[in-house]
Amino acid sequence: MKKYSPYFQEIKRAVRVLLKWFLLALPTGFACGALGTAFHLAVEAVTELRTEQGWLLWLLPLAGLAIVALYKVTKCEGMGTNNVLRAVQSGEPVSPWLVPAIFLGTVLTHLCGGSAGREGAALQMGGSIGWNIARLLRLNEHDCRTATACGMAAFFSALFGTPLAATLFSMMVVDVGVVFSVTFVPGFAAALIAYGVSTACGIAPTRFALTAPELGVGTAFRVAVLGLLCAVVTRAFCGLLHFTEHELPKRIPNPWFRVFAGGVVVVVLSYLVGVGRYNGAGMGVITAAVEQGEALPWDFICKMVLTALTLASGFKGGEVVPSFYIGATFGCVAAPLLGLPAGFGAAAGLIAVFCGATNTLIPSLLLAFELFDGAGLELIALGCGVCYMLSGHHGLYSSQTFLTEKLASEYTEKWGRRFRPHGHRTESD
């Protein structure tokens, strides 16, 4: 029996670890599912209210002042998605007060017409929930990092209904080129639980009806060109976010005045380019681009500018849904010029710009599979891969690190030390 004892010890350890992960996944999944459902309903409700009551847009500067006050009261000033990513990298603690701060801040932003998404809030709330549940369970520092990623996956899954993409995204967004696969089982379990909670509460998963062209050499070449153009758009979007979020605080250091002035500018620009079309997340415009092939030629530019101003001024939300919007509307307009269907171009652009902006190739392919039920996956994957390769070492999150090169089979620095290139944002919400 002695010669078998190491095997039995390994089995016992594996069972113990498995039980620990499910003990973590259960409360994390249920908590993120319940709060994610409440958050989804709140954002939908205030978006509908703003659509019916257009005058609420004029309150955006006052909403900004309320958000600054909320973050000061909760002592969450300067906290954002980057703090959650650093929690996964180094075990940095995540304040539980970040949950109510980002929840209310994002709802206020959407109520009054700020141009922002909601997944930034999802990653922050999910990461905070996961980290603090791990501390309650008295898990060690390394397990707290895993728990943070689990919370991110669960909340993302509750909002979008894409548990597999959400899990891989939380595993791969932190360090580009390296994946700690130990996160998959607890993360996927938590994501599935959160998904189940949200669907049980009547939240329909995000899905698009897509008709894709047949796979062929000519079509593949056109999609590759579209991916190249999406890389240019991705660089422009990330560069504009970086520029505004570095320059605006320098020029207007007072956060109260900055958010008020930024709110005024967003209101004025909204009336100049079209009230409602670029305010909030813009899921209606995304759906029209993918399913009806309808978008205006300047949609992606207007969304870029308004999103950059909204987030740089101090309003709360996220950048992923705006990247969906930018990619979908750009792809919808560019695809017919390349001989591709507009709706399919919108779908390919949505995934490609998301991939280039977040530097997450595999999660992007899974997202395409879940959003479009696998339609045109090979072609979308080609455009996505080209955009990923050519988008450079840039992205939405400054705490994201690059451990391998995109254009060569080598580490970014000797021995693969973390590489955080210049030009990244210092704050991300």
Side-chain angles (χ1 to χ4, degrees), residues 227-263:
L228 185 152
L229 296 175
C230 286
V232 176
V233 172
T234 301
R235 284 176 176 261
F237 179 44
C238 293
L240 184 59
L241 286 172
H242 161 71
F243 177 79
T244 53
E245 292 205 356
H246 279 76
E247 291 300 317
L248 201 57
K250 287 181 181 179
R251 298 179 184 279
I252 312 177
N254 186 304
W256 301 94
F257 184 65
R258 182 170 66 248
V259 77
F260 188 88

PDB file of all heavy atoms in Angstrom, residues 227-263:
ATOM      1  N   GLY A 227     -10.665  43.494 -40.767  1.00  0.00           N
ATOM      2  CA  GLY A 227      -9.951  43.375 -39.500  1.00  0.00           C
ATOM      3  C   GLY A 227      -8.819  44.380 -39.384  1.00  0.00           C
ATOM      4  O   GLY A 227      -8.585  44.960 -38.318  1.00  0.00           O
ATOM      5  N   LEU A 228      -8.109  44.602 -40.493  1.00  0.00           N
ATOM      6  CA  LEU A 228      -7.039  45.611 -40.504  1.00  0.00           C
ATOM      7  C   LEU A 228      -7.606  46.999 -40.217  1.00  0.00           C
ATOM      8  O   LEU A 228      -7.035  47.765 -39.419  1.00  0.00           O
ATOM      9  CB  LEU A 228      -6.342  45.576 -41.854  1.00  0.00           C
ATOM     10  CG  LEU A 228      -5.115  46.464 -42.064  1.00  0.00           C
ATOM     11  CD1 LEU A 228      -4.189  45.857 -43.105  1.00  0.00           C
ATOM     12  CD2 LEU A 228      -5.507  47.871 -42.511  1.00  0.00           C
ATOM     13  N   LEU A 229      -8.720  47.328 -40.862  1.00  0.00           N
ATOM     14  CA  LEU A 229      -9.337  48.644 -40.632  1.00  0.00           C
ATOM     15  C   LEU A 229      -9.831  48.765 -39.194  1.00  0.00           C
ATOM     16  O   LEU A 229      -9.734  49.840 -38.595  1.00  0.00           O
ATOM     17  CB  LEU A 229     -10.494  48.844 -41.605  1.00  0.00           C
ATOM     18  CG  LEU A 229     -10.122  48.892 -43.095  1.00  0.00           C
ATOM     19  CD1 LEU A 229     -11.375  48.983 -43.950  1.00  0.00           C
ATOM     20  CD2 LEU A 229      -9.194  50.065 -43.374  1.00  0.00           C
ATOM     21  N   CYS A 230     -10.323  47.671 -38.637  1.00  0.00           N
ATOM     22  CA  CYS A 230     -10.773  47.694 -37.237  1.00  0.00           C
ATOM     23  C   CYS A 230      -9.606  47.922 -36.280  1.00  0.00           C
ATOM     24  O   CYS A 230      -9.773  48.536 -35.218  1.00  0.00           O
ATOM     25  CB  CYS A 230     -11.488  46.384 -36.890  1.00  0.00           C
ATOM     26  SG  CYS A 230     -13.152  46.241 -37.592  1.00  0.00           S
ATOM     27  N   ALA A 231      -8.428  47.445 -36.651  1.00  0.00           N
ATOM     28  CA  ALA A 231      -7.243  47.703 -35.830  1.00  0.00           C
ATOM     29  C   ALA A 231      -6.933  49.194 -35.779  1.00  0.00           C
ATOM     30  O   ALA A 231      -6.549  49.737 -34.728  1.00  0.00           O
ATOM     31  CB  ALA A 231      -6.047  46.923 -36.367  1.00  0.00           C
ATOM     32  N   VAL A 232      -7.091  49.872 -36.913  1.00  0.00           N
ATOM     33  CA  VAL A 232      -6.888  51.326 -36.954  1.00  0.00           C
ATOM     34  C   VAL A 232      -7.901  52.022 -36.047  1.00  0.00           C
ATOM     35  O   VAL A 232      -7.556  52.927 -35.274  1.00  0.00           O
ATOM     36  CB  VAL A 232      -7.002  51.850 -38.391  1.00  0.00           C
ATOM     37  CG1 VAL A 232      -6.887  53.376 -38.421  1.00  0.00           C
ATOM     38  CG2 VAL A 232      -5.929  51.222 -39.278  1.00  0.00           C
ATOM     39  N   VAL A 233      -9.162  51.604 -36.132  1.00  0.00           N
ATOM     40  CA  VAL A 233     -10.209  52.184 -35.287  1.00  0.00           C
ATOM     41  C   VAL A 233      -9.926  51.918 -33.814  1.00  0.00           C
ATOM     42  O   VAL A 233     -10.096  52.798 -32.960  1.00  0.00           O
ATOM     43  CB  VAL A 233     -11.587  51.616 -35.696  1.00  0.00           C
ATOM     44  CG1 VAL A 233     -12.670  52.052 -34.704  1.00  0.00           C
ATOM     45  CG2 VAL A 233     -11.960  52.064 -37.095  1.00  0.00           C
ATOM     46  N   THR A 234      -9.477  50.709 -33.508  1.00  0.00           N
ATOM     47  CA  THR A 234      -9.155  50.350 -32.120  1.00  0.00           C
ATOM     48  C   THR A 234      -8.055  51.243 -31.564  1.00  0.00           C
ATOM     49  O   THR A 234      -8.140  51.747 -30.440  1.00  0.00           O
ATOM     50  CB  THR A 234      -8.722  48.883 -32.038  1.00  0.00           C
ATOM     51  OG1 THR A 234      -9.777  48.050 -32.515  1.00  0.00           O
ATOM     52  CG2 THR A 234      -8.389  48.496 -30.607  1.00  0.00           C
ATOM     53  N   ARG A 235      -7.003  51.427 -32.344  1.00  0.00           N
ATOM     54  CA  ARG A 235      -5.906  52.298 -31.895  1.00  0.00           C
ATOM     55  C   ARG A 235      -6.402  53.727 -31.676  1.00  0.00           C
ATOM     56  O   ARG A 235      -5.999  54.390 -30.709  1.00  0.00           O
ATOM     57  CB  ARG A 235      -4.779  52.281 -32.929  1.00  0.00           C
ATOM     58  CG  ARG A 235      -3.929  51.014 -32.913  1.00  0.00           C
ATOM     59  CD  ARG A 235      -2.900  51.036 -34.036  1.00  0.00           C
ATOM     60  NE  ARG A 235      -2.012  49.891 -34.000  1.00  0.00           N
ATOM     61  CZ  ARG A 235      -0.785  49.884 -33.495  1.00  0.00           C
ATOM     62  NH1 ARG A 235      -0.301  50.994 -32.945  1.00  0.00           N
ATOM     63  NH2 ARG A 235      -0.041  48.798 -33.530  1.00  0.00           N
ATOM     64  N   ALA A 236      -7.281  54.200 -32.553  1.00  0.00           N
ATOM     65  CA  ALA A 236      -7.810  55.557 -32.406  1.00  0.00           C
ATOM     66  C   ALA A 236      -8.654  55.669 -31.139  1.00  0.00           C
ATOM     67  O   ALA A 236      -8.544  56.652 -30.392  1.00  0.00           O
ATOM     68  CB  ALA A 236      -8.645  55.924 -33.632  1.00  0.00           C
ATOM     69  N   PHE A 237      -9.488  54.676 -30.876  1.00  0.00           N
ATOM     70  CA  PHE A 237     -10.348  54.692 -29.697  1.00  0.00           C
ATOM     71  C   PHE A 237      -9.520  54.666 -28.416  1.00  0.00           C
ATOM     72  O   PHE A 237      -9.701  55.502 -27.517  1.00  0.00           O
ATOM     73  CB  PHE A 237     -11.300  53.499 -29.746  1.00  0.00           C
ATOM     74  CG  PHE A 237     -12.220  53.386 -28.567  1.00  0.00           C
ATOM     75  CD1 PHE A 237     -12.877  54.497 -28.047  1.00  0.00           C
ATOM     76  CD2 PHE A 237     -12.462  52.153 -27.979  1.00  0.00           C
ATOM     77  CE1 PHE A 237     -13.737  54.387 -26.964  1.00  0.00           C
ATOM     78  CE2 PHE A 237     -13.322  52.034 -26.903  1.00  0.00           C
ATOM     79  CZ  PHE A 237     -13.958  53.152 -26.384  1.00  0.00           C
ATOM     80  N   CYS A 238      -8.592  53.726 -28.311  1.00  0.00           N
ATOM     81  CA  CYS A 238      -7.759  53.629 -27.101  1.00  0.00           C
ATOM     82  C   CYS A 238      -6.876  54.862 -26.950  1.00  0.00           C
ATOM     83  O   CYS A 238      -6.657  55.350 -25.832  1.00  0.00           O
ATOM     84  CB  CYS A 238      -6.905  52.364 -27.153  1.00  0.00           C
ATOM     85  SG  CYS A 238      -7.853  50.836 -27.065  1.00  0.00           S
ATOM     86  N   GLY A 239      -6.368  55.387 -28.078  1.00  0.00           N
ATOM     87  CA  GLY A 239      -5.546  56.589 -28.006  1.00  0.00           C
ATOM     88  C   GLY A 239      -6.336  57.785 -27.528  1.00  0.00           C
ATOM     89  O   GLY A 239      -5.837  58.603 -26.736  1.00  0.00           O
ATOM     90  N   LEU A 240      -7.584  57.918 -27.990  1.00  0.00           N
ATOM     91  CA  LEU A 240      -8.421  59.037 -27.553  1.00  0.00           C
ATOM     92  C   LEU A 240      -8.762  58.915 -26.071  1.00  0.00           C
ATOM     93  O   LEU A 240      -8.729  59.919 -25.336  1.00  0.00           O
ATOM     94  CB  LEU A 240      -9.699  59.077 -28.385  1.00  0.00           C
ATOM     95  CG  LEU A 240     -10.658  60.244 -28.122  1.00  0.00           C
ATOM     96  CD1 LEU A 240      -9.968  61.582 -28.379  1.00  0.00           C
ATOM     97  CD2 LEU A 240     -11.912  60.113 -28.976  1.00  0.00           C
ATOM     98  N   LEU A 241      -9.072  57.701 -25.612  1.00  0.00           N
ATOM     99  CA  LEU A 241      -9.328  57.491 -24.183  1.00  0.00           C
ATOM    100  C   LEU A 241      -8.101  57.867 -23.354  1.00  0.00           C
ATOM    101  O   LEU A 241      -8.214  58.549 -22.327  1.00  0.00           O
ATOM    102  CB  LEU A 241      -9.701  56.032 -23.921  1.00  0.00           C
ATOM    103  CG  LEU A 241     -11.095  55.574 -24.341  1.00  0.00           C
ATOM    104  CD1 LEU A 241     -11.214  54.058 -24.175  1.00  0.00           C
ATOM    105  CD2 LEU A 241     -12.170  56.271 -23.528  1.00  0.00           C
ATOM    106  N   HIS A 242      -6.949  57.421 -23.805  1.00  0.00           N
ATOM    107  CA  HIS A 242      -5.707  57.731 -23.088  1.00  0.00           C
ATOM    108  C   HIS A 242      -5.461  59.233 -23.042  1.00  0.00           C
ATOM    109  O   HIS A 242      -5.141  59.794 -21.987  1.00  0.00           O
ATOM    110  CB  HIS A 242      -4.535  57.032 -23.772  1.00  0.00           C
ATOM    111  CG  HIS A 242      -3.204  57.607 -23.439  1.00  0.00           C
ATOM    112  ND1 HIS A 242      -2.614  57.464 -22.206  1.00  0.00           N
ATOM    113  CD2 HIS A 242      -2.352  58.361 -24.180  1.00  0.00           C
ATOM    114  CE1 HIS A 242      -1.457  58.098 -22.201  1.00  0.00           C
ATOM    115  NE2 HIS A 242      -1.278  58.645 -23.385  1.00  0.00           N
ATOM    116  N   PHE A 243      -5.616  59.885 -24.174  1.00  0.00           N
ATOM    117  CA  PHE A 243      -5.335  61.322 -24.250  1.00  0.00           C
ATOM    118  C   PHE A 243      -6.265  62.114 -23.327  1.00  0.00           C
ATOM    119  O   PHE A 243      -5.801  62.953 -22.539  1.00  0.00           O
ATOM    120  CB  PHE A 243      -5.489  61.804 -25.694  1.00  0.00           C
ATOM    121  CG  PHE A 243      -5.294  63.285 -25.855  1.00  0.00           C
ATOM    122  CD1 PHE A 243      -4.022  63.830 -25.889  1.00  0.00           C
ATOM    123  CD2 PHE A 243      -6.389  64.136 -25.961  1.00  0.00           C
ATOM    124  CE1 PHE A 243      -3.831  65.194 -26.026  1.00  0.00           C
ATOM    125  CE2 PHE A 243      -6.211  65.501 -26.105  1.00  0.00           C
ATOM    126  CZ  PHE A 243      -4.935  66.035 -26.135  1.00  0.00           C
ATOM    127  N   THR A 244      -7.561  61.872 -23.409  1.00  0.00           N
ATOM    128  CA  THR A 244      -8.513  62.651 -22.614  1.00  0.00           C
ATOM    129  C   THR A 244      -8.362  62.375 -21.119  1.00  0.00           C
ATOM    130  O   THR A 244      -8.430  63.305 -20.314  1.00  0.00           O
ATOM    131  CB  THR A 244      -9.957  62.352 -23.040  1.00  0.00           C
ATOM    132  OG1 THR A 244     -10.189  60.937 -23.000  1.00  0.00           O
ATOM    133  CG2 THR A 244     -10.225  62.862 -24.437  1.00  0.00           C
ATOM    134  N   GLU A 245      -8.121  61.126 -20.735  1.00  0.00           N
ATOM    135  CA  GLU A 245      -8.045  60.814 -19.312  1.00  0.00           C
ATOM    136  C   GLU A 245      -6.711  61.200 -18.692  1.00  0.00           C
ATOM    137  O   GLU A 245      -6.570  61.171 -17.460  1.00  0.00           O
ATOM    138  CB  GLU A 245      -8.358  59.335 -19.084  1.00  0.00           C
ATOM    139  CG  GLU A 245      -9.810  59.014 -19.397  1.00  0.00           C
ATOM    140  CD  GLU A 245     -10.325  57.799 -18.674  1.00  0.00           C
ATOM    141  OE1 GLU A 245      -9.538  57.135 -17.964  1.00  0.00           O
ATOM    142  OE2 GLU A 245     -11.522  57.514 -18.802  1.00  0.00           O
ATOM    143  N   HIS A 246      -5.751  61.572 -19.517  1.00  0.00           N
ATOM    144  CA  HIS A 246      -4.510  62.129 -18.984  1.00  0.00           C
ATOM    145  C   HIS A 246      -4.510  63.659 -19.043  1.00  0.00           C
ATOM    146  O   HIS A 246      -4.057  64.319 -18.106  1.00  0.00           O
ATOM    147  CB  HIS A 246      -3.304  61.588 -19.760  1.00  0.00           C
ATOM    148  CG  HIS A 246      -2.862  60.234 -19.329  1.00  0.00           C
ATOM    149  ND1 HIS A 246      -3.538  59.088 -19.676  1.00  0.00           N
ATOM    150  CD2 HIS A 246      -1.815  59.831 -18.553  1.00  0.00           C
ATOM    151  CE1 HIS A 246      -2.931  58.049 -19.151  1.00  0.00           C
ATOM    152  NE2 HIS A 246      -1.875  58.463 -18.470  1.00  0.00           N
ATOM    153  N   GLU A 247      -4.999  64.194 -20.149  1.00  0.00           N
ATOM    154  CA  GLU A 247      -4.926  65.634 -20.352  1.00  0.00           C
ATOM    155  C   GLU A 247      -6.012  66.406 -19.594  1.00  0.00           C
ATOM    156  O   GLU A 247      -5.746  67.489 -19.081  1.00  0.00           O
ATOM    157  CB  GLU A 247      -5.014  65.952 -21.847  1.00  0.00           C
ATOM    158  CG  GLU A 247      -3.804  65.521 -22.641  1.00  0.00           C
ATOM    159  CD  GLU A 247      -2.531  66.198 -22.151  1.00  0.00           C
ATOM    160  OE1 GLU A 247      -2.576  67.416 -21.882  1.00  0.00           O
ATOM    161  OE2 GLU A 247      -1.506  65.504 -22.036  1.00  0.00           O
ATOM    162  N   LEU A 248      -7.226  65.870 -19.539  1.00  0.00           N
ATOM    163  CA  LEU A 248      -8.311  66.604 -18.900  1.00  0.00           C
ATOM    164  C   LEU A 248      -8.049  66.859 -17.414  1.00  0.00           C
ATOM    165  O   LEU A 248      -8.230  67.995 -16.936  1.00  0.00           O
ATOM    166  CB  LEU A 248      -9.637  65.870 -19.103  1.00  0.00           C
ATOM    167  CG  LEU A 248     -10.907  66.719 -18.933  1.00  0.00           C
ATOM    168  CD1 LEU A 248     -10.888  67.915 -19.884  1.00  0.00           C
ATOM    169  CD2 LEU A 248     -12.149  65.870 -19.186  1.00  0.00           C
ATOM    170  N   PRO A 249      -7.605  65.857 -16.634  1.00  0.00           N
ATOM    171  CA  PRO A 249      -7.278  66.145 -15.229  1.00  0.00           C
ATOM    172  C   PRO A 249      -6.128  67.136 -15.068  1.00  0.00           C
ATOM    173  O   PRO A 249      -6.070  67.869 -14.074  1.00  0.00           O
ATOM    174  CB  PRO A 249      -6.903  64.768 -14.661  1.00  0.00           C
ATOM    175  CG  PRO A 249      -7.604  63.803 -15.544  1.00  0.00           C
ATOM    176  CD  PRO A 249      -7.560  64.411 -16.906  1.00  0.00           C
ATOM    177  N   LYS A 250      -5.204  67.159 -16.025  1.00  0.00           N
ATOM    178  CA  LYS A 250      -4.102  68.122 -15.952  1.00  0.00           C
ATOM    179  C   LYS A 250      -4.612  69.548 -16.150  1.00  0.00           C
ATOM    180  O   LYS A 250      -4.193  70.481 -15.464  1.00  0.00           O
ATOM    181  CB  LYS A 250      -3.041  67.799 -17.015  1.00  0.00           C
ATOM    182  CG  LYS A 250      -2.191  66.579 -16.713  1.00  0.00           C
ATOM    183  CD  LYS A 250      -1.161  66.390 -17.820  1.00  0.00           C
ATOM    184  CE  LYS A 250      -0.309  65.157 -17.566  1.00  0.00           C
ATOM    185  NZ  LYS A 250       0.677  64.945 -18.655  1.00  0.00           N
ATOM    186  N   ARG A 251      -5.506  69.700 -17.118  1.00  0.00           N
ATOM    187  CA  ARG A 251      -6.006  71.033 -17.449  1.00  0.00           C
ATOM    188  C   ARG A 251      -7.084  71.492 -16.471  1.00  0.00           C
ATOM    189  O   ARG A 251      -7.227  72.692 -16.224  1.00  0.00           O
ATOM    190  CB  ARG A 251      -6.551  71.043 -18.879  1.00  0.00           C
ATOM    191  CG  ARG A 251      -5.476  70.735 -19.914  1.00  0.00           C
ATOM    192  CD  ARG A 251      -6.043  70.715 -21.324  1.00  0.00           C
ATOM    193  NE  ARG A 251      -5.039  70.330 -22.303  1.00  0.00           N
ATOM    194  CZ  ARG A 251      -4.132  71.137 -22.821  1.00  0.00           C
ATOM    195  NH1 ARG A 251      -4.105  72.410 -22.457  1.00  0.00           N
ATOM    196  NH2 ARG A 251      -3.248  70.709 -23.705  1.00  0.00           N
ATOM    197  N   ILE A 252      -7.856  70.545 -15.929  1.00  0.00           N
ATOM    198  CA  ILE A 252      -8.893  70.888 -14.940  1.00  0.00           C
ATOM    199  C   ILE A 252      -8.699  69.971 -13.731  1.00  0.00           C
ATOM    200  O   ILE A 252      -9.363  68.936 -13.595  1.00  0.00           O
ATOM    201  CB  ILE A 252     -10.318  70.715 -15.522  1.00  0.00           C
ATOM    202  CG1 ILE A 252     -10.432  71.388 -16.890  1.00  0.00           C
ATOM    203  CG2 ILE A 252     -11.356  71.294 -14.576  1.00  0.00           C
ATOM    204  CD1 ILE A 252     -11.778  71.187 -17.554  1.00  0.00           C
ATOM    205  N   PRO A 253      -7.774  70.285 -12.847  1.00  0.00           N
ATOM    206  CA  PRO A 253      -7.448  69.386 -11.731  1.00  0.00           C
ATOM    207  C   PRO A 253      -8.562  69.250 -10.689  1.00  0.00           C
ATOM    208  O   PRO A 253      -8.618  68.236  -9.992  1.00  0.00           O
ATOM    209  CB  PRO A 253      -6.192  70.015 -11.118  1.00  0.00           C
ATOM    210  CG  PRO A 253      -6.219  71.442 -11.559  1.00  0.00           C
ATOM    211  CD  PRO A 253      -6.887  71.457 -12.886  1.00  0.00           C
ATOM    212  N   ASN A 254      -9.427  70.256 -10.563  1.00  0.00           N
ATOM    213  CA  ASN A 254     -10.513  70.171  -9.585  1.00  0.00           C
ATOM    214  C   ASN A 254     -11.574  69.188 -10.079  1.00  0.00           C
ATOM    215  O   ASN A 254     -12.217  69.420 -11.109  1.00  0.00           O
ATOM    216  CB  ASN A 254     -11.132  71.562  -9.390  1.00  0.00           C
ATOM    217  CG  ASN A 254     -12.164  71.566  -8.279  1.00  0.00           C
ATOM    218  OD1 ASN A 254     -13.127  70.813  -8.292  1.00  0.00           O
ATOM    219  ND2 ASN A 254     -11.959  72.437  -7.294  1.00  0.00           N
ATOM    220  N   PRO A 255     -11.809  68.062  -9.359  1.00  0.00           N
ATOM    221  CA  PRO A 255     -12.757  67.056  -9.856  1.00  0.00           C
ATOM    222  C   PRO A 255     -14.187  67.559  -9.937  1.00  0.00           C
ATOM    223  O   PRO A 255     -14.957  67.115 -10.795  1.00  0.00           O
ATOM    224  CB  PRO A 255     -12.625  65.916  -8.839  1.00  0.00           C
ATOM    225  CG  PRO A 255     -12.089  66.565  -7.600  1.00  0.00           C
ATOM    226  CD  PRO A 255     -11.210  67.674  -8.075  1.00  0.00           C
ATOM    227  N   TRP A 256     -14.569  68.481  -9.050  1.00  0.00           N
ATOM    228  CA  TRP A 256     -15.933  69.015  -9.063  1.00  0.00           C
ATOM    229  C   TRP A 256     -16.179  69.834 -10.332  1.00  0.00           C
ATOM    230  O   TRP A 256     -17.183  69.638 -11.031  1.00  0.00           O
ATOM    231  CB  TRP A 256     -16.169  69.889  -7.830  1.00  0.00           C
ATOM    232  CG  TRP A 256     -15.974  69.201  -6.526  1.00  0.00           C
ATOM    233  CD1 TRP A 256     -14.835  69.169  -5.779  1.00  0.00           C
ATOM    234  CD2 TRP A 256     -16.943  68.426  -5.809  1.00  0.00           C
ATOM    235  NE1 TRP A 256     -15.022  68.442  -4.631  1.00  0.00           N
ATOM    236  CE2 TRP A 256     -16.316  67.979  -4.615  1.00  0.00           C
ATOM    237  CE3 TRP A 256     -18.278  68.090  -6.026  1.00  0.00           C
ATOM    238  CZ2 TRP A 256     -16.971  67.201  -3.674  1.00  0.00           C
ATOM    239  CZ3 TRP A 256     -18.932  67.315  -5.096  1.00  0.00           C
ATOM    240  CH2 TRP A 256     -18.296  66.877  -3.936  1.00  0.00           C
ATOM    241  N   PHE A 257     -15.250  70.716 -10.626  1.00  0.00           N
ATOM    242  CA  PHE A 257     -15.402  71.556 -11.813  1.00  0.00           C
ATOM    243  C   PHE A 257     -15.250  70.733 -13.080  1.00  0.00           C
ATOM    244  O   PHE A 257     -15.945  70.958 -14.078  1.00  0.00           O
ATOM    245  CB  PHE A 257     -14.382  72.698 -11.781  1.00  0.00           C
ATOM    246  CG  PHE A 257     -14.528  73.659 -12.924  1.00  0.00           C
ATOM    247  CD1 PHE A 257     -15.674  74.441 -13.058  1.00  0.00           C
ATOM    248  CD2 PHE A 257     -13.531  73.780 -13.882  1.00  0.00           C
ATOM    249  CE1 PHE A 257     -15.814  75.312 -14.123  1.00  0.00           C
ATOM    250  CE2 PHE A 257     -13.666  74.647 -14.944  1.00  0.00           C
ATOM    251  CZ  PHE A 257     -14.815  75.424 -15.063  1.00  0.00           C
ATOM    252  N   ARG A 258     -14.326  69.748 -13.038  1.00  0.00           N
ATOM    253  CA  ARG A 258     -14.090  68.926 -14.228  1.00  0.00           C
ATOM    254  C   ARG A 258     -15.335  68.132 -14.610  1.00  0.00           C
ATOM    255  O   ARG A 258     -15.723  68.090 -15.777  1.00  0.00           O
ATOM    256  CB  ARG A 258     -12.917  67.967 -13.990  1.00  0.00           C
ATOM    257  CG  ARG A 258     -12.583  67.115 -15.199  1.00  0.00           C
ATOM    258  CD  ARG A 258     -11.271  66.374 -15.007  1.00  0.00           C
ATOM    259  NE  ARG A 258     -11.301  65.384 -13.956  1.00  0.00           N
ATOM    260  CZ  ARG A 258     -10.638  65.457 -12.814  1.00  0.00           C
ATOM    261  NH1 ARG A 258      -9.879  66.507 -12.561  1.00  0.00           N
ATOM    262  NH2 ARG A 258     -10.726  64.504 -11.910  1.00  0.00           N
ATOM    263  N   VAL A 259     -15.993  67.500 -13.642  1.00  0.00           N
ATOM    264  CA  VAL A 259     -17.156  66.678 -13.964  1.00  0.00           C
ATOM    265  C   VAL A 259     -18.339  67.545 -14.386  1.00  0.00           C
ATOM    266  O   VAL A 259     -19.122  67.168 -15.263  1.00  0.00           O
ATOM    267  CB  VAL A 259     -17.523  65.765 -12.762  1.00  0.00           C
ATOM    268  CG1 VAL A 259     -18.246  66.541 -11.665  1.00  0.00           C
ATOM    269  CG2 VAL A 259     -18.362  64.584 -13.213  1.00  0.00           C
ATOM    270  N   PHE A 260     -18.462  68.741 -13.767  1.00  0.00           N
ATOM    271  CA  PHE A 260     -19.556  69.641 -14.150  1.00  0.00           C
ATOM    272  C   PHE A 260     -19.347  70.164 -15.575  1.00  0.00           C
ATOM    273  O   PHE A 260     -20.265  70.129 -16.410  1.00  0.00           O
ATOM    274  CB  PHE A 260     -19.654  70.806 -13.166  1.00  0.00           C
ATOM    275  CG  PHE A 260     -20.869  71.672 -13.370  1.00  0.00           C
ATOM    276  CD1 PHE A 260     -22.079  71.368 -12.746  1.00  0.00           C
ATOM    277  CD2 PHE A 260     -20.821  72.790 -14.194  1.00  0.00           C
ATOM    278  CE1 PHE A 260     -23.201  72.158 -12.941  1.00  0.00           C
ATOM    279  CE2 PHE A 260     -21.941  73.581 -14.406  1.00  0.00           C
ATOM    280  CZ  PHE A 260     -23.132  73.264 -13.774  1.00  0.00           C
ATOM    281  N   ALA A 261     -18.132  70.636 -15.859  1.00  0.00           N
ATOM    282  CA  ALA A 261     -17.829  71.158 -17.192  1.00  0.00           C
ATOM    283  C   ALA A 261     -17.933  70.061 -18.245  1.00  0.00           C
ATOM    284  O   ALA A 261     -18.470  70.279 -19.345  1.00  0.00           O
ATOM    285  CB  ALA A 261     -16.427  71.771 -17.206  1.00  0.00           C
ATOM    286  N   GLY A 262     -17.429  68.867 -17.907  1.00  0.00           N
ATOM    287  CA  GLY A 262     -17.531  67.748 -18.836  1.00  0.00           C
ATOM    288  C   GLY A 262     -18.974  67.386 -19.131  1.00  0.00           C
ATOM    289  O   GLY A 262     -19.332  67.084 -20.280  1.00  0.00           O
ATOM    290  N   GLY A 263     -19.821  67.428 -18.103  1.00  0.00           N
ATOM    291  CA  GLY A 263     -21.234  67.153 -18.300  1.00  0.00           C
ATOM    292  C   GLY A 263     -21.885  68.161 -19.229  1.00  0.00           C
ATOM    293  O   GLY A 263     -22.707  67.800 -20.092  1.00  0.00           O
TER     294      GLY A 263
END
